[in-house]
Amino acid sequence: MSVTTHKALDPWPIVKSGARFHPVASVQHLLNEHGHDLEVDASFGPLTEAAVRAAQRDFGLEADGVVGPLTWQAIVVTVRHGSRGHAVRGAQQELDTRDGFDVVVDGVFGPRTERAVRAFQSALSAFGVEVDGIAGPVTWRAMVSGMVSH
């Protein structure tokens, strides 16, 4: 019997006040998907921290304002063909910042976004990532942790 072993995915990143750039915009897009109204500026300032704390309270987590593994798992939204909204924009932006993924950041998960998700997932085959064209928790974790050349 053969056993397939895979490399481990990078851990969920820790994102907190003062952080700038990647993956702050993804945090902001995901928080907006949960009803917040943040400017997606990739800067983790007081408004983003307040939204993180509110989301943490909403999900029954410690409201420390730091986006760690439990907060990521709570705010991540699975998006797939036909999905629309802020979470789709976040996934599209993640893919758009990487070389070789042809994506338009428009908040509509259509065929182009699905192809890009599949290509991203294919690049993670050594990690045991399923190539299904759906941006679920495993794909989000790989995207926000910066896997596959960012």
Side-chain angles (χ1 to χ4, degrees), residues 32-133:
N32 286 344
E33 184 71 21
H34 290 287
H36 298 275
D37 187 25
L38 295 169
E39 177 184 353
V40 179
D41 61 2
S43 180
F44 198 124
L47 296 176
T48 299
E49 183 174 356
V52 169
R53 288 179 189 276
Q56 289 169 325
R57 283 190 295 275
D58 290 346
F59 287 107
L61 301 173
E62 178 186 353
D64 62 3
V66 176
V67 182
L70 294 177
T71 301
W72 277 114
Q73 291 171 52
I75 66 172
V76 158
V77 174
T78 297
V79 292
R80 59 179 45 89
H81 191 88
S83 297
R84 294 175 173 267
H86 297 288
V88 173
R89 283 184 188 279
Q92 290 170 328
Q93 189 168 6
E94 282 287 341
L95 293 165
D96 188 52
T97 61
R98 291 169 168 83
D99 291 335
F101 297 101
D102 181 29
V103 170
V104 174
V105 181
D106 62 3
V108 178
F109 198 124
R112 179 184 263 181
T113 301
E114 185 174 358
R115 279 192 302 275
V117 170
R118 285 181 182 278
F120 180 79
Q121 291 168 329
S122 292
L124 297 167
S125 62
F127 298 90
V129 173
E130 182 180 356
V131 179
D132 59 7

